[in-house]
Amino acid sequence: MLNSTLEALSDSKFTCNNGKARQAAINGTVELSNLIPPTVSYESRGNVVIIGAEDTITSMAAQFSALNSVTLLATEKAELPQTCANLYYTQTVTVKGYLGAFYVTCAVDGNALSTANLAKVAIGTDCFDLVVDMTVEGVIAVEIPAPGYYAVGAGKATLADVIEELPDMLGTFDKPKYFRLNPDLCAHSSRGISGCDRCVDACPAGALSSTGHSIEINPYLCQGVGTCATACPTEAISYALPDPDNTQHFVYRLLTRYFEEGGEAPTLLLFGNRDETAVANALPLLPTTVIPVALEELATVGIDTWFSALAYGAHQVLLATNTAYIPDTIDRVLGDELTIAQTFLAELGYEADRITLLDFAEAEAFKGFNAALLARHDRLEGTKREKLFTVLDALYAQAPEKPAFSNVAENAPYGSVECKTDDCTLCMSCVAVCPTRALHAIGDRPGLLFIEQDCVQCGMCEKACPEKVISLKPGLTWESEARQTARVVHEEEAACCTSCGKPFAPASMVKMLTEKLQGHSHFQGDAIRRLSMCEDCRVKDIFTTITDDPESQLKV
């Protein structure tokens, strides 16, 4: 549809150099897609359960007679008794799963058990393949239901579409596996300390969960909206259809070709495939300098891609979507990311709407920016944070305003840490859990270093600190050297081993332990003296004591 619209525009009498350049750039740039994406498979045998008020579901049973089996689960009894095969009653019900594997647990009338697996009771199998939910609130409380679950009563599906679609939902179905997960990069948990959970909060399909020590993604529940990858600050989760790196390379090639064809003042219009019709209708009203880029979902790319587009020559980046019709979670994630982007621009004295949402209703009145923010940059490489900071540094170098530091929202993955050094013992608990090495030891002496650019504000350092002296400070230091250079958070004199003279621990820690333990029955005599020794000398001293006096083993 979009290509035909662009071709029609290119053939119209209103064609100009920019319109021709746009068409040439789109036609001459390799399509943004994965040729062979990984997939997951569903198998459906056509066993459906319909849940809702008795009057409603009993009248629907005949509509699905072509399926293998129809089970009715009434959550409200009818005033007049119903005579319908495979009808059960319940007050409470839970549904978990996806197409071909829905587990329905409920208290079934007449069943001796308090709760039962309805599929075993009704059709002798472990699970149902399809669920038609007629309850007003919906049994599964997610914004984007799993394949095979039709929340008609909650308004997330229409009955007419369900009646038409369900007879075809038998067999094996493949769906792309939209994500890649690298646990080694994850900032969710370390050594029993919980940290970042942005991805879990960003999923509208309930596909992400925490095991307590790691993130798990259920590929059968994942619907590919991409908000988890956009929210992930470390790229532990990345979108795979295609990945953001390929998206940015595509944008670079597209804009480069546009300029080569003589185009000027380009505006990049990013949109998800679900909004293709709205974009096709808006394009004739928009200037020919607006270049559309279709994504699987709009939220699959975020701030790094938007700023990269500005570095590649785009004068403005428009995000096109009907926000009134997208799930609240996607709207929130997109809004949070956009707020951060516009905050950065405004803090530097640039127009905040250089990156902004496009209201389709205002397409005809839209006017782009005549001047670019930056001279065109070569293709960016590195992680998404590295690309973002490269562009931010370039913007800062020529910015109308040059703040030293800017505040950001508390949920933003940018900032530093503050430490009450008077109470810090340099125990290095924070270093042990830091997932990015933003916090690390000095090495040759007791001390703590911090690199702001690497900090994703996961909060594990704050939670791991036994003295509770570390706190997060969301924000951004604009001077690149200060942001990238390791700064000393706290350092102090080292305690030297009383046996070999080697520095081995912070003097304050040895002093604190000695003062706290000197009255303890297990730390008398040699035991308290060994607190002032390095580990090697401590072990050697214990071994010598045991060798010289075997009976002393009980006292060591």
Side-chain angles (χ1 to χ4, degrees):
M1 176 184 293
L2 190 62
N3 285 337
S4 61
T5 300
L6 287 168
E7 289 172 2
L9 291 174
S10 67
D11 293 337
S12 73
K13 63 181 181 180
F14 300 106
T15 299
C16 61
N17 287 337
N18 289 327
K20 292 177 180 178
R22 175 175 68 180
Q23 191 64 34
I26 291 173
N27 290 339
T29 307
V30 177
E31 185 180 356
L32 181 60
S33 63
N34 281 356
L35 296 179
I36 309 176
T39 60
V40 294
S41 296
Y42 303 88
E43 184 176 353
S44 171
R45 295 155 295 277
N47 297 312
V48 63
V49 58
I50 307 174
I51 306 171
E54 184 176 359
D55 285 338
T56 302
I57 63 176
T58 51
S59 63
M60 291 174 56
Q63 302 279 359
F64 304 108
S65 58
L67 294 174
N68 187 48
S69 71
V70 178
T71 301
L72 305 177
L73 182 61
T75 54
E76 298 176 25
K77 289 189 175 183
E79 292 185 8
L80 298 176
Q82 302 287 314
T83 55
C84 189
N86 238 16
L87 172 62
Y88 300 87
Y89 299 91
T90 188
Q91 293 294 320
T92 59
V93 57
T94 59
V95 178
K96 295 181 179 180
Y98 44 83
L99 177 64
F102 283 108
Y103 293 87
V104 179
T105 305
C106 58
V108 179
D109 283 0
N111 195 299
L113 300 175
S114 58
T115 61
N117 180 336
L118 183 62
K120 285 188 175 181
V121 174
I123 57 176
T125 64
D126 288 333
C127 54
F128 293 102
D129 302 299
L130 302 158
V131 177
V132 178
D133 186 352
M134 303 300 297
T135 62
V136 174
E137 298 295 330
V139 177
I140 299 181
V142 294
E143 294 169 284
I144 300 181
Y149 175 81
Y150 302 91
V152 178
K156 295 178 181 177
T158 64
L159 183 57
D161 289 343
V162 172
I163 292 172
E164 181 179 354
E165 182 177 332
L166 251 62
D168 295 327
M169 297 300 292
L170 284 82
T172 301
F173 304 87
D174 291 331
K175 176 182 72 68
K177 186 177 179 181
Y178 294 99
F179 63 89
R180 296 188 183 97
L181 176 62
N182 184 349
D184 292 339
L185 299 177
C186 186
H188 174 63
S189 177
S190 179
R191 300 173 183 261
I193 303 296
S194 61
C196 175
D197 55 5
R198 293 180 176 93
C199 60
V200 177
D201 292 339
C203 181
L208 283 88
S209 60
S210 170
T211 66
H213 57 83
S214 64
I215 292 293
E216 287 188 347
I217 305 178
N218 187 326
Y220 296 94
L221 296 180
C222 174
Q223 301 298 295
V225 296
T227 44
C228 59
T230 295
C232 178
T234 64
E235 291 183 277
I237 302 176
S238 59
Y239 201 69
L241 200 68
D243 62 76
D245 201 46
N246 284 335
T247 301
Q248 291 182 18
H249 290 174
F250 173 82
V251 169
Y252 172 78
R253 296 193 305 272
L254 182 69
L255 289 171
T256 299
R257 182 65 180 270
Y258 176 80
F259 287 117
E260 289 173 350
E261 296 291 337
E264 299 177 341
T267 294
L268 199 68
L269 175 64
L270 301 176
F271 68 95
N273 284 332
R274 72 177 72 227
D275 290 316
E276 183 178 13
T277 300
V279 171
N281 292 335
L283 271 177
L285 306 175
L286 292 166
T288 54
T289 54
V290 175
I291 307 174
V293 175
L295 305 168
E296 186 74 16
E297 295 280 355
L298 179 59
T300 59
V301 299
I303 189 171
D304 54 303
T305 298
W306 306 339
F307 275 94
S308 294
L310 295 179
Y312 296 152
H315 289 197
Q316 187 177 18
V317 176
L318 301 178
L319 312 175
T321 186
N322 284 307
T323 54
Y325 302 107
I326 64 176
D328 290 342
T329 298
I330 299 178
D331 189 29
R332 173 177 56 79
V333 172
L334 195 62
D336 288 347
E337 197 82 347
L338 182 58
T339 297
I340 295 170
Q342 293 185 333
T343 296
F344 287 159
L345 288 167
E347 286 286 291
L348 297 178
Y350 297 116
E351 300 92 345
D353 57 353
R354 289 283 185 160
I355 301 174
T356 190
L357 289 172
L358 171 68
D359 187 339
F360 291 120
E362 299 177 359
E364 191 170 7
F366 172 78
K367 292 182 179 180
F369 289 95
N370 292 325
L373 288 184
L374 293 170
R376 286 166 55 197
H377 199 289
D378 290 336
R379 194 174 77 177
L380 301 170
E381 302 291 348
T383 66
K384 67 181 188 180
R385 286 176 73 87
E386 289 170 343
K387 293 174 184 175
L388 172 62
F389 283 120
T390 296
V391 182
L392 291 179
D393 289 341
L395 288 169
Y396 183 76
Q398 59 187 51
E401 304 289 339
K402 292 184 181 293
F405 180 85
S406 293
N407 292 313
V408 296
E410 288 190 7
N411 62 337
Y414 312 100
S416 60
V417 297
E418 294 182 335
C419 178
K420 298 177 182 177
T421 56
D422 289 346
D423 296 321
C424 176
T425 62
L426 290 175
C427 67
M428 297 300 164
S429 294
C430 55
V431 170
V433 299
C434 182
T436 64
R437 292 199 76 250
L439 283 166
H440 57 280
I442 291 178
D444 59 349
R445 62 188 187 278
L448 182 63
L449 297 176
F450 175 75
I451 301 176
E452 180 185 321
Q453 185 157 308
D454 294 338
C455 180
V456 297
Q457 298 283 286
C458 67
M460 281 194 280
C461 59
E462 187 176 41
K463 295 176 182 176
C465 179
E467 281 79 30
K468 306 301 179 187
V469 297
I470 290 182
S471 58
L472 302 181
K473 184 182 179 181
L476 182 71
T477 298
W478 285 103
E479 207 283 311
S480 61
E481 185 175 352
R483 193 180 62 245
Q484 297 170 9
T485 302
R487 65 173 174 85
V488 176
V489 175
H490 179 46
E491 66 176 328
E492 62 177 68
E493 178 186 356
C496 295
C497 176
T498 54
S499 179
C500 70
K502 179 179 71 175
F504 72 98
S508 64
M509 179 180 289
V510 174
K511 180 182 178 182
M512 179 269 291
L513 289 174
T514 301
E515 290 176 349
K516 285 188 174 182
L517 298 175
Q518 62 184 355
H520 197 284
S521 59
H522 289 177
F523 286 89
Q524 300 300 311
D526 288 340
I528 197 72
R529 176 176 57 82
R530 293 189 188 110
L531 292 177
S532 299
M533 293 182 181
C534 68
E535 185 176 359
D536 291 340
C537 292
R538 191 179 306 126
V539 172
K540 186 186 300 183
D541 188 72
I542 292 173
F543 180 77
T544 300
T545 302
I546 295 174
T547 302
D548 293 343
D549 182 10
E551 293 184 3
S552 68
Q553 183 173 357
L554 298 175
K555 304 175 184 179
V556 173

